[in-house]
Amino acid sequence: MTEQIEIPLSKNKLTLMLICSLIFISLGLWFVIKPPTIRNPIIGNPILILTVGIAAILFFGLCAIFIAKKLPDKTPGLIINNQGVTDNSSGVSVGLIPWDDIKEINVTNVANQKFLMLVVKNPDEYINRQKGFIKKKAMQMNYKSYGSPISISANGLKCNFNELFRILQNKFNDVKA
């Protein structure tokens, strides 16, 4: 397997994710500006409703910004070749990850979403590549929680998770053989 494999970003998936993010931002604004009255003493707590609203605005606001930046991007989401994997699939993409740096590829589930974790020999190098505070913190959290700062999802790619895993695992095995 010597050819280069390019997996493009899926504009349809990205658009759908942007719409969902905007809906959650709207719900967050509703919770902050005119919170619903809920008679349940636990979920009807005004402080809880306000906190959920603010969290939704912040989290999905960041998601919307990253997605909006990716939508016009014409660069492939992933490029897989003999050098390694070039990641441009998300808001915290790291660029080229040489095969020599990759120790293993693991599957991780987070909130019913599957991610590929590329376990690398030098995780701090990839974390330090990030210039933005939020991106750097996200990678540090990934590393602390899942053993690698580099996670790849098929959510914004023109392929499904199983295809992505098969392609990466096959190339990884070919290169390491």
Side-chain angles (χ1 to χ4, degrees), residues 20-38:
C20 289
S21 291
L22 294 173
I23 289 169
F24 280 105
I25 292 167
S26 299
L27 288 171
L29 286 169
W30 173 45
F31 279 27
V32 169
I33 296 169
K34 185 151 177 39
T37 304
I38 302 171

Side-chain angles (χ1 to χ4, degrees), residues 4-150:
Q4 177 164 291
I5 300 167
E6 294 184 358
I7 302 174
L9 293 169
S10 171
K11 303 303 179 185
N12 291 340
K13 287 181 181 179
L14 291 172
T15 301
L16 183 61
M17 287 191 292
L18 180 60
I19 291 167
C20 289
S21 291
L22 294 173
I23 289 169
F24 280 105
I25 292 167
S26 299
L27 288 171
L29 286 169
W30 173 45
F31 279 27
V32 169
I33 296 169
K34 185 151 177 39
T37 304
I38 302 171
R39 295 189 194 275
N40 183 303
I42 297 169
I43 62 171
N45 180 329
I47 306 243
L48 177 64
I49 293 172
L50 178 66
T51 304
V52 168
I54 291 170
I57 293 166
L58 293 175
F59 178 77
F60 290 104
L62 284 173
C63 290
I65 290 167
F66 287 135
I67 294 166
K69 286 182 179 179
K70 279 288 168 204
L71 268 170
D73 192 348
K74 298 205 183 318
T75 309
L78 279 182
I79 299 171
I80 303 159
N81 57 29
N82 288 333
Q83 287 183 290
V85 180
T86 303
D87 177 25
N88 179 45
S89 63
S90 71
V92 289
S93 300
V94 296
L96 177 64
I97 308 149
W99 291 115
D100 288 346
D101 284 355
I102 301 171
K103 295 195 295 188
E104 61 185 302
I105 301 172
N106 296 326
V107 176
T108 299
N109 286 301
V110 181
N112 292 328
Q113 291 292 314
K114 287 185 180 180
F115 291 89
L116 291 178
M117 303 304 295
L118 302 186
V119 180
V120 291
K121 294 176 185 172
N122 46 356
D124 289 330
E125 178 185 315
Y126 292 94
I127 293 169
N128 292 330
R129 277 189 199 176
Q130 296 298 332
K131 296 187 182 11
F133 175 79
I134 293 171
K135 291 179 181 184
K136 190 174 277 195
K137 284 296 173 197
M139 290 187 80
Q140 287 171 337
M141 284 177 27
N142 268 354
Y143 181 42
K144 190 183 231 181
S145 301
Y146 308 108
S148 176
I150 303 168

